[in-house]
């Protein structure tokens, strides 16, 4: 947590009136304290402490277009799956009234527990033996998420699973070209390979699209209980192995090049974590699924993360955001494309 970054402040008067109107506070004149969550590179997340209550507010980043930062999607998914998959925060209120903050946003409960980012993991000096438990709890939740009956949950209109892979490959390629600030030959090679090697048949499920350690909340340091999955901004219906591929892209290992470890900081580099190939084997065992084109899914996951990094850098280069963490994300994007091409050429994910 930190003080709110300059330029990312909330409109106190209008927001308090909104909270009172929604029945979340009794008076718009109550004192409050606002802090900002520091992890994450996309949607902005704030903690509101007011009238002995704690609420979390989520809004898109400044200068972002709605696509990929759909607050309504996040709110809708979590509201609907809560009964069958209670590992989400409770949703309180959503609005598209841009006269309040200049954008759609929603209010949810604050879930207490441990979010395991790199800083938190280092602070806790977690034993290597604990990471086996952490990885299994993470994977069990991933498999449980992919097993949700999205039709029964009222999410049949969330996306079109038919043709999902083809659309993803095409659309992420278009988004990369739109956000490009340099001519990266490796990125174009990866895009062509993904177009030519995509699977034609696959399963359908709810997919999270950003499932990694720092997007889940552990109940405590026994690491057996995941209380919430966060950051549903890219959730849709599609191939669950595409979801796995993205998670593998974030699964940095201690044997990866130092630039990779720096570009994708993750507690997964710490001793005791399974490698990427072992994660795949465990996922397939737990889910009962099969995978015939693992390199495609891993390369796609890396490329998608590269596009996200490039989009954030594009906003930074245009002065639409001033967060200093974004200053070299173009280099991180190119690095990820290089790693994806290496995986394609070597046919290895470790």
């Amino acid at each position: 947590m930190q003080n709110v970054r300059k330029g990312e402040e909330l409109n106190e008067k209008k927001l308090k009136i909104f909270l009172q109107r929604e029945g979340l506070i009794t008076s718009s004149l109550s004192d409050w304290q606002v802090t900002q969550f520091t992890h994450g590179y996309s949607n902005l997340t704030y903690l509101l402490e007011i009238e002995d209550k704690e609420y979390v507010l989520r809004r898109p980043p400044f200068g972002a277009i709605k696509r990929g930062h759909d607050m309504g999607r996040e709110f809708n998914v979590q509201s609907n799956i809560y009964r069958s998959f209670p590992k989400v925060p409770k949703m309180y209120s959503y609005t598209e009234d841009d006269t309040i903050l200049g954008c759609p946003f929603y209010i949810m409960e604050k879930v207490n527990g441990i979010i395991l980012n790199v800083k938190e993991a280092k602070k806790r000096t977690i034993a290597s033996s604990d990471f086996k438990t952490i990885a299994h709890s993470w994977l069990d939740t991933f498999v449980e998420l992919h097993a949700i009956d999205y039709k029964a949950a009222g999410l049949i209109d969330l996306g079109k699973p038919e043709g999902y892979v083809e659309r993803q490959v095409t659309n992420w390629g278009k988004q990369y070209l739109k956000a490009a600030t340099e001519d990266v030959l490796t990125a174009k090679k990866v895009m062509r390979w993904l177009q030519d090697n995509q699977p034609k048949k696959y399963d359908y499920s709810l997919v999270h699209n950003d499932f990694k350690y720092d997007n889940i909340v552990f109940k405590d340091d026994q690491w057996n209980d995941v209380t919430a999955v966060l950051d549903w901004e890219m959730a849709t219906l599609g191939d669950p192995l595409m979801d796995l591929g993205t998670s593998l892209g974030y699964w940095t290992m201690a044997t990866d090049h130092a630039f990779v470890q720096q570009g994708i900081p993750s507690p997964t580099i710490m001793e005791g974590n399974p490698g990427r190939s072992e994660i795949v084997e465990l996922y397939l065992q737990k889910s009962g699924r099969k995978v015939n084109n693992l390199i495609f899914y891993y390369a796609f996951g890396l490329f998608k993360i590269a596009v996200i990094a490039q989009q954030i850098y594009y906003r930074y280069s245009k002065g639409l955001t001033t967060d200093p963490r974004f200053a070299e994300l173009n280099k991180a994007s190119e690095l990820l494309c290089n790693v994806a091409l290496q995986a394609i050429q070597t046919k290895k994910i470790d």
Side-chain angles (χ1 to χ4, degrees), residues 265-333:
S266 171
T268 55
I269 66 170
M270 296 180 176
E271 184 179 352
N273 279 286
R276 284 186 289 267
S277 293
E278 188 177 352
I279 285 294
V280 173
E281 292 175 6
L282 289 169
Y283 174 85
L284 297 179
Q285 290 171 14
K286 292 172 182 289
S287 67
R289 302 184 190 278
K290 297 180 180 180
V291 57
N292 297 317
N293 194 351
L294 178 59
I295 299 300
F296 168 83
Y297 290 110
Y298 177 55
F300 172 80
L302 288 167
F303 179 69
K304 187 174 79 170
I305 299 168
V307 177
I308 294 169
Q310 183 61 39
Q311 289 174 323
I312 297 171
Y313 177 77
Y314 179 84
R315 293 201 306 271
Y316 178 86
S317 69
K318 298 296 182 181
L320 299 174
T321 180
T322 59
D323 191 325
R325 296 178 302 162
F326 302 164
E328 295 190 342
L329 284 182
N330 59 325
K331 296 178 182 178
S333 177

Side-chain angles (χ1 to χ4, degrees), residues 78-332:
Q78 293 173 93
S79 298
N80 278 279
I81 67 173
Y82 187 81
R83 294 186 193 90
S84 57
F85 183 79
K87 296 178 180 180
V88 290
K90 183 178 180 181
M91 299 291 106
Y92 290 125
S93 185
Y94 165 72
T95 182
E96 295 183 352
D97 182 357
D98 61 9
T99 66
I100 304 171
L101 298 182
C103 62
F105 65 91
Y106 68 91
I107 307 293
M108 63 181 176
E109 74 168 324
K110 178 181 181 292
V111 178
N112 294 316
I114 303 170
I115 297 176
L116 197 58
N117 53 28
V118 172
K119 182 178 180 180
E120 186 69 23
K122 288 181 177 179
K123 182 178 72 175
R124 290 179 174 274
T125 58
I126 299 170
S128 60
S129 58
D130 283 341
F131 273 113
K132 182 177 181 180
T133 302
I134 290 169
H136 277 272
S137 296
W138 177 85
L139 270 170
D140 287 340
T141 303
F142 204 17
V143 170
E144 185 181 352
L145 187 158
H146 287 162
I148 293 172
D149 186 338
Y150 62 82
K151 295 179 181 178
L155 293 173
I156 195 169
D157 295 326
L158 183 64
K160 297 179 181 179
E162 302 87 353
Y164 172 78
V165 173
E166 181 179 6
R167 289 195 307 274
Q168 287 288 293
V169 171
T170 299
N171 291 340
W172 282 101
K174 289 180 178 178
Q175 289 182 54
Y176 177 83
L177 294 175
K178 188 175 181 180
T181 50
E182 295 96 14
D183 185 19
V184 179
L185 180 60
T186 307
K188 294 178 180 178
K189 289 182 178 180
V190 171
M191 289 163 60
R192 284 195 297 269
W193 187 90
L194 292 173
Q195 284 285 358
D196 294 340
N197 291 273
Q198 58 188 281
K200 303 300 181 183
K201 295 182 179 180
Y202 42 87
D203 295 334
Y204 303 153
S205 78
L206 176 66
V207 294
H208 181 275
N209 269 323
D210 201 20
F211 197 86
K212 48 196 175 78
Y213 275 176
D214 63 359
N215 274 340
I216 66 173
V217 183
F218 287 96
K219 180 181 179 180
D220 52 40
D221 60 6
Q222 297 302 302
W223 312 113
N224 290 302
D225 191 355
V226 174
T227 57
V229 178
L230 308 175
D231 292 5
W232 292 81
E233 64 188 274
M234 293 188 287
T236 189
L237 307 179
D239 182 355
L241 295 179
M242 295 283 268
D243 216 3
L244 176 63
T246 300
S247 295
L248 292 173
Y250 282 117
W251 197 272
T252 310
M253 295 168 53
T255 53
D256 290 335
H257 193 284
F259 289 144
V260 176
Q261 296 184 39
Q262 294 168 13
I264 315 176
S266 171
T268 55
I269 66 170
M270 296 180 176
E271 184 179 352
N273 279 286
R276 284 186 289 267
S277 293
E278 188 177 352
I279 285 294
V280 173
E281 292 175 6
L282 289 169
Y283 174 85
L284 297 179
Q285 290 171 14
K286 292 172 182 289
S287 67
R289 302 184 190 278
K290 297 180 180 180
V291 57
N292 297 317
N293 194 351
L294 178 59
I295 299 300
F296 168 83
Y297 290 110
Y298 177 55
F300 172 80
L302 288 167
F303 179 69
K304 187 174 79 170
I305 299 168
V307 177
I308 294 169
Q310 183 61 39
Q311 289 174 323
I312 297 171
Y313 177 77
Y314 179 84
R315 293 201 306 271
Y316 178 86
S317 69
K318 298 296 182 181
L320 299 174
T321 180
T322 59
D323 191 325
R325 296 178 302 162
F326 302 164
E328 295 190 342
L329 284 182
N330 59 325
K331 296 178 182 178

Side-chain angles (χ1 to χ4, degrees), residues 44-61:
L44 304 180
T45 310
Y46 303 80
L47 176 63
L48 314 179
E49 298 175 88
I50 186 169
E51 295 183 356
D52 296 323
K53 303 180 183 72
E54 292 184 320
Y55 297 116
V56 171
L57 181 148
R58 289 268 287 174
R59 59 148 294 160

